[in-house]
Amino acid sequence: MRRLQNKMLLVMIMGILISSLVSGMIFTYATRNTINYDSQQILDLKAIHASSELSKKILMCENNNELMAGFITKTITTISNVTDYHYSAADIDNWNGLAWSMVEDTQDISAIGFHFNPSFIHRKNAGFLISYNNTTGRMENLSSDYEDSLKPRTEDGFLSPYAQAVLAKKTIWTVPYYNKINGIYSITNAKPIYIKHQLVGVVFCELDFDRIANNTNSISLYEHGKAILTDRYGQQLNYGGAMVNVPNSFMKKVAKQGNYEALVKLNDTQTYLHARRVTDNMYMIVTVPQTDVLAARNRTIFTVLFSIISLSAVLCLIAVTMVNKLFRMACKDSLTDASNKISYQEYLKELEKRIAYTHRSYGVAVFDINHLKAVNDEQGHMAGDQLIRDGYEVIHLCFPEDEVFRIGGDEFVVVFDDPDLKKTRNSVERFKRIMDKRARDFASSSQVVVSCGYSEWQRDEHYRDVFKRADHDMYKEKAKFYAYNPQVDRRR
């Protein structure tokens, strides 16, 4: 029985462990692929979200510029109107008012202005500039200060937005530059206005690039992931953390496709890059080191594998508990909780194997509860069952370290596989004396009196011979009890 129990436990535990191992392998494989795919989706969504937020501001600026250009074009109907200084001054006041409301009502727009073509109206300083002044912190009309913006290049060599738009003959976006007129680091949308193929001037709208950079710097994902803004050559435009130079080969593909992602070596680290075009001169790129993605994936795999291992341990514990409980139920007598006859037979098999190897002697004690039939006849079987339980308790209390087997209705056996049989004989004799005294003083059928017989194994003997002698000895004790108490003798 014990061997069967161990085999069943082994099979169940191996089944749980193999299932857990297979589940863990399948999950690890699936998780690896899923997280790799999901991480790319996350990066792509982050890039889309970041670029779309910036694109809204870009579009807002472009729309304002288109509106201002349309308003100016509608006012100037012929080239001769432009050369009329008084007419132009009056119109400029109207344009100025519209620009003022645009800057005042629209966040992130730092300036809106218009420059007449100086060669056309023969003036260096004609137009308007409505801007926040970074020095004073107020919105002002800086028309008298923008003469430098008409120069082809600034002192640091930067080609002015006016010059870029005139050279390109189309609407352009500049890279970030410092506008010394208003003291703001800006990007500018510049749109040249042509009437009858003649350049009238350039209308422009500026965005505060520091605000854009701060919003970009606030974007983070995983542990070291971030968003950056670059020019068409991969030079980082926003400042925050370690500066990044994106490889030119990557930027060429971004410029060609508009949106592009790849795993590239960036600052000596393998990095996932997801890029989206914002303007012709600016790109939003979300960067995440490959080690961050792998670490996140490994943490997820570890967490789930740990959960699977923990669940497997719990299932193994449950299996051991259930199997032990089932075999305990199968091996224990339900009435007395003594080991039953199945356990007794298994024990004898193990005993015979052990004796064949060690030749060590053992003792057998046979117990029988007296006057059980009289109790059943007079008080019913429930009282008889209680007498059997009480009888077992008496035996168990006297021999607490030995296994007690119930092999029949009121018959119990204890096998003493103990090298110190002298101690066992003394214990059995003491039990007999106690029971003999109870038999002599017997006065009530509720009293428990157990007859006991004992015998020891002799070399080359079979167990049944030892048991037969012990059983015979027990019946002699039983006969003595009924000789003392014939009133409860129901044997005939």
Side-chain angles (χ1 to χ4, degrees):
M1 184 67 73
R2 180 68 63 180
R3 185 176 298 172
L4 178 61
Q5 178 182 3
N6 292 337
K7 286 182 178 179
M8 184 174 291
L9 278 174
L10 180 62
V11 170
M12 292 183 69
I13 291 174
M14 288 299 294
I16 292 171
L17 294 179
I18 291 173
S19 299
S20 300
L21 179 62
V22 172
S23 300
M25 292 174 64
I26 293 173
F27 175 81
T28 301
Y29 176 77
T31 301
R32 185 185 298 273
N33 292 335
T34 301
I35 292 180
N36 285 343
Y37 174 77
D38 287 348
S39 63
Q40 299 308 309
Q41 293 295 105
I42 291 171
L43 294 179
D44 202 40
L45 289 173
K46 199 73 172 180
I48 291 172
H49 177 73
S51 61
S52 65
E53 289 298 312
L54 180 53
S55 295
K56 289 178 184 177
K57 298 176 182 180
I58 295 293
L59 182 61
M60 173 190 64
C61 189
E62 291 175 347
N63 289 340
N64 283 341
N65 228 16
E66 287 289 341
L67 180 62
M68 180 59 68
F71 190 50
I72 293 172
T73 302
K74 185 176 179 181
T75 304
I76 305 175
T77 56
T78 65
I79 295 300
S80 60
N81 294 130
V82 182
T83 60
D84 184 349
Y85 173 78
H86 299 289
Y87 183 83
S88 298
D91 288 337
I92 285 175
D93 288 339
N94 293 330
W95 304 336
N96 196 322
L98 177 61
W100 190 283
S101 65
M102 286 181 176
V103 176
E104 191 173 43
D105 297 340
T106 310
Q107 190 179 14
D108 296 322
I109 290 182
S110 58
I112 292 180
F114 172 69
H115 295 323
F116 275 112
N117 179 1
S119 63
F120 187 80
I121 61 170
H122 309 294
R123 284 192 60 186
K124 293 183 179 180
N125 192 9
F128 64 90
L129 176 64
I130 305 300
S131 172
Y132 278 104
N133 190 325
N134 209 32
T135 303
T136 64
R138 297 193 305 268
M139 194 168 71
E140 298 177 1
N141 187 336
L142 302 177
S143 301
S144 60
D145 300 324
Y146 68 72
E147 182 179 349
D148 286 345
S149 66
L150 300 180
K151 295 178 180 179
R153 291 188 181 274
T154 60
E155 293 176 358
D156 58 2
F158 175 73
L159 191 64
S160 69
Y162 180 93
Q164 290 185 51
V166 171
L167 290 174
K169 296 183 180 181
K170 64 178 182 179
T171 303
I172 57 94
W173 274 100
T174 68
V175 295
Y177 69 100
Y178 178 73
N179 188 338
K180 71 175 185 178
I181 298 174
N182 55 19
I184 297 174
Y185 197 56
S186 308
I187 56 173
T188 300
N189 179 250
K191 177 180 176 65
I193 298 177
Y194 290 90
I195 297 179
K196 296 182 180 180
H197 306 291
Q198 295 293 317
L199 175 65
V200 176
V202 175
V203 63
F204 57 89
C205 180
E206 290 184 2
L207 289 176
D208 187 336
F209 186 75
D210 283 336
R211 288 189 180 183
I212 293 173
N214 289 338
N215 291 337
T216 303
N217 293 340
S218 67
I219 298 171
S220 63
L221 63 164
Y222 292 95
E223 188 173 355
H224 301 100
K226 63 179 181 179
I228 61 172
L229 293 168
T230 72
D231 60 16
R232 68 179 69 183
Y233 305 109
Q235 181 68 40
Q236 184 176 340
L237 301 175
N238 61 310
Y239 296 94
M243 295 300 291
V244 173
N245 284 320
V246 180
N248 193 45
S249 57
F250 179 84
M251 294 307 302
K252 286 181 179 179
K253 292 180 180 178
V254 177
K256 182 178 180 180
Q257 300 181 23
N259 306 321
Y260 185 67
E261 59 269 352
L263 178 64
V264 301
K265 193 170 185 179
L266 203 64
N267 293 356
D268 297 324
T269 302
Q270 289 296 111
T271 305
Y272 290 106
L273 301 183
H274 283 245
R276 289 187 169 267
R277 180 189 291 120
V278 179
T279 71
D280 288 340
N281 286 319
M282 189 164 63
Y283 299 84
M284 174 73 72
I285 303 178
V286 173
T287 73
V288 174
Q290 186 184 38
T291 52
D292 280 14
V293 177
L294 295 179
R297 182 191 69 187
N298 292 340
R299 281 194 299 269
T300 302
I301 292 175
F302 174 80
T303 300
V304 177
L305 288 181
F306 179 78
S307 301
I308 291 175
I309 292 171
S310 300
L311 180 61
S312 300
V314 171
L315 290 177
C316 288
L317 182 61
I318 292 173
V320 170
T321 303
M322 289 181 63
V323 169
N324 287 340
K325 185 174 182 180
L326 288 173
F327 273 87
R328 177 180 173 79
M329 292 171 63
C331 297
K332 290 292 183 179
D333 174 55
S334 59
L335 178 63
T336 62
D337 202 37
S339 298
N340 62 15
K341 197 166 185 176
I342 296 175
S343 298
Y344 176 62
Q345 292 169 345
E346 288 289 326
Y347 182 84
L348 293 185
K349 290 178 183 178
E350 295 296 326
L351 178 67
E352 289 179 356
K353 291 178 182 178
R354 191 160 60 249
I355 295 304
Y357 178 74
T358 63
H359 300 287
R360 190 178 71 194
S361 185
Y362 60 89
V364 177
V366 179
F367 303 87
D368 191 275
I369 301 172
N370 295 313
H371 69 281
L372 176 63
K373 192 172 187 308
V375 171
N376 284 334
D377 292 345
E378 296 173 5
Q379 301 178 36
H381 285 280
M382 289 185 65
D385 288 345
Q386 185 59 48
L387 182 64
I388 294 173
R389 282 193 289 268
D390 293 342
Y392 165 74
E393 288 298 327
V394 168
I395 300 169
H396 180 64
L397 286 172
C398 291
F399 304 98
E401 297 180 0
D402 300 291
E403 188 172 7
V404 181
F405 300 96
R406 184 187 179 198
I407 63 172
D410 59 351
E411 193 170 12
F412 297 86
V413 172
V414 175
V415 179
F416 300 97
D417 187 18
D418 190 337
D420 188 5
L421 289 181
K422 181 179 180 181
K423 180 180 176 182
T424 300
R425 286 192 293 270
N426 292 336
S427 298
V428 171
E429 289 301 321
R430 185 170 61 252
F431 180 84
K432 285 184 176 183
R433 287 195 298 271
I434 293 171
M435 291 300 109
D436 186 67
K437 186 176 185 306
R438 284 193 181 188
R440 292 175 183 274
D441 299 337
F442 185 78
S444 170
S445 59
S446 62
Q447 287 182 284
V448 180
V449 181
V450 181
S451 296
C452 173
Y454 178 75
S455 180
E456 293 179 0
W457 177 80
Q458 304 297 326
R459 192 176 183 87
D460 298 329
E461 241 186 345
H462 195 274
Y463 174 81
R464 62 175 172 271
D465 300 320
V466 184
F467 178 85
K468 187 175 181 180
R469 288 198 303 272
D471 193 52
H472 180 72
D473 186 37
M474 180 272 294
Y475 274 106
K476 291 192 334 185
E477 295 295 319
K478 198 172 188 70
K480 290 168 62 177
F481 170 80
Y482 286 116
Y484 297 144
N485 303 282
Q487 72 277 10
V488 292
D489 189 358
R490 300 290 190 274
R491 293 179 297 173
R492 16 180 219 286

